[in-house]
Amino acid sequence: MTILIIEDDARILEFVKRGLEAEGYLIEFATNGEQGLQKLMNREYDLLLLDLMLPDMNGQEVCRQLRQQGITLPVLMLTAMDSIEDKVEGLRLGADDYLTKPFAFDELVARIQALLRRNKGAKGYKEQVAELVVEGLTLNRETREVYRDGQQIELTPKEYALLEYFMLSPGRVFSRSQILDQVWGYNADPLTNVVEVYIRNLRRKIDEGFDGSLIKTVRGFGYKLDMKK
C-alpha cells in the first residue's frame, strides 16, 4: 500500500513517515499543495494524508481540485483546526475523515486501516491491480512479495517501490529525474547517485541466476523494464 503525505511541517512529516514505513506502508510526500497535486496526477496511491494548512493552497483547495479531476482515493485530512465548520467544509469538498493535531500515532494507523478497508474493492481513478506480472516477474501489491519464475526475491521497501514503478509501465523509458521524483520525492538531491545504486542492486536481485537483465539502460534517456517482442 502506498500513501502520499502532503505536509509542510518537517517534524510532523518525519514522525508520520517513519512510523508508517515501520508499519509496512510505502510513503511518498510533498511539502505543498502544488507538488502534491502533480504527484496525484501522475501516479496512483492507496490513500492521501492531507494537511489542512499548507503554504501555497490549503488542504480544502487541494481536495477540491483532486475530486474535480475524478481522483477518488481516500483522503484523511490532518488539521490543528477542530471547529465543526472546518470539518464540515472539508468533508463537503471530498475528504473522507479528519484527525485533529496533536494526535496519537495508534489512532492515525487505525483511521488509515479503516479507510483502506472501506475503500477495498471500490473503483478509484485507476483500478488497483493486485498483482503485476512482466516476463516471469511477479509483484503482489497486497502481500508485497516478489517472485521470478516462482523463486521469491527479497527486496527492501525502496527497492520494492522502484520495481513497482517500472512494472506499472513496462517498456516505458523513465529518466533519472522522473525516477528520483516519483520514488524518492521532490526533496531528493538531484546530484545524488541513489538511482544508479538502487538500479544496480535491483538488477542483481531480480536477475541473479537468470539470463540477461530485465531492467535496461537506454543511453541518453534513462531506464526501462524490458519486454520481449
Side-chain angles (χ1 to χ4, degrees):
M1 293 289 184
T2 305
I3 295 175
L4 176 65
I5 305 172
I6 306 179
E7 169 65 69
D8 67 317
D9 186 316
R11 181 182 58 84
I12 294 175
L13 176 60
E14 184 64 17
F15 165 71
V16 173
K17 180 176 179 293
R18 286 191 177 188
L20 291 180
E21 285 177 338
E23 292 289 326
Y25 295 102
L26 294 174
I27 302 300
E28 293 189 15
F29 64 90
T31 56
N32 62 57
E34 183 179 353
Q35 290 178 352
L37 283 171
Q38 288 177 2
K39 281 181 171 284
L40 287 161
M41 300 301 174
N42 289 292
R43 185 176 178 183
E44 63 181 70
Y45 298 90
D46 297 290
L47 184 136
L48 170 63
L49 288 182
L50 177 61
D51 184 27
L52 179 62
M53 303 300 293
L54 294 168
D56 54 345
M57 66 177 76
N58 63 34
Q60 292 174 345
E61 177 62 18
V62 172
C63 196
R64 185 187 68 80
Q65 289 194 30
L66 72 90
R67 293 310 191 213
Q68 280 187 339
Q69 294 295 323
I71 300 175
T72 60
L73 83 170
V75 176
L76 175 54
M77 197 167 280
L78 306 177
T79 176
M81 304 169 67
D82 60 357
S83 73
I84 295 298
E85 292 80 5
D86 289 319
K87 292 181 179 180
V88 169
E89 180 65 10
L91 293 170
R92 186 183 69 80
L93 292 170
D96 295 277
D97 197 2
Y98 256 89
L99 188 57
T100 303
K101 301 176 184 178
F103 51 82
F105 182 74
D106 287 346
E107 182 179 4
L108 173 65
V109 172
R111 286 176 181 261
I112 288 172
Q113 291 172 342
L115 285 174
L116 291 174
R117 284 196 303 270
R118 188 188 311 168
N119 197 58
K120 189 174 183 181
K123 184 176 180 181
Y125 70 103
K126 286 186 180 179
E127 292 289 347
Q128 175 72 28
V129 179
E131 192 170 80
L132 304 175
V133 181
V134 179
E135 300 296 342
L137 189 64
T138 303
L139 182 147
N140 189 303
R141 302 174 78 189
E142 294 182 350
T143 66
R144 297 184 45 162
E145 293 176 333
V146 176
Y147 292 85
R148 184 167 182 187
D149 292 345
Q151 179 180 325
Q152 187 168 8
I153 300 168
E154 297 294 335
L155 301 178
T156 67
K158 196 61 73 176
E159 289 168 349
Y160 175 94
L162 178 60
L163 181 60
E164 181 186 38
Y165 184 51
F166 279 120
M167 292 186 71
L168 283 168
S169 302
R172 177 181 172 184
V173 179
F174 293 103
S175 70
R176 181 181 173 280
S177 62
Q178 285 177 313
I179 296 169
L180 199 61
D181 283 348
Q182 292 296 324
V183 179
W184 276 268
Y186 281 89
N187 288 346
D189 180 0
L191 300 180
T192 182
N193 69 338
V194 67
V195 172
E196 290 77 8
V197 170
Y198 272 81
I199 291 286
R200 183 167 61 247
N201 291 343
L202 191 56
R203 279 173 169 160
R204 176 177 54 81
K205 290 187 176 183
I206 68 175
D207 294 332
E208 188 172 351
F210 296 91
D211 293 330
S213 177
L214 287 179
I215 299 178
K216 301 292 187 183
T217 300
V218 182
R219 296 196 180 278
F221 294 97
Y223 304 94
K224 69 175 182 177
L225 187 66
D226 198 27
M227 296 185 68
K228 297 177 182 178
K229 302 297 185 183

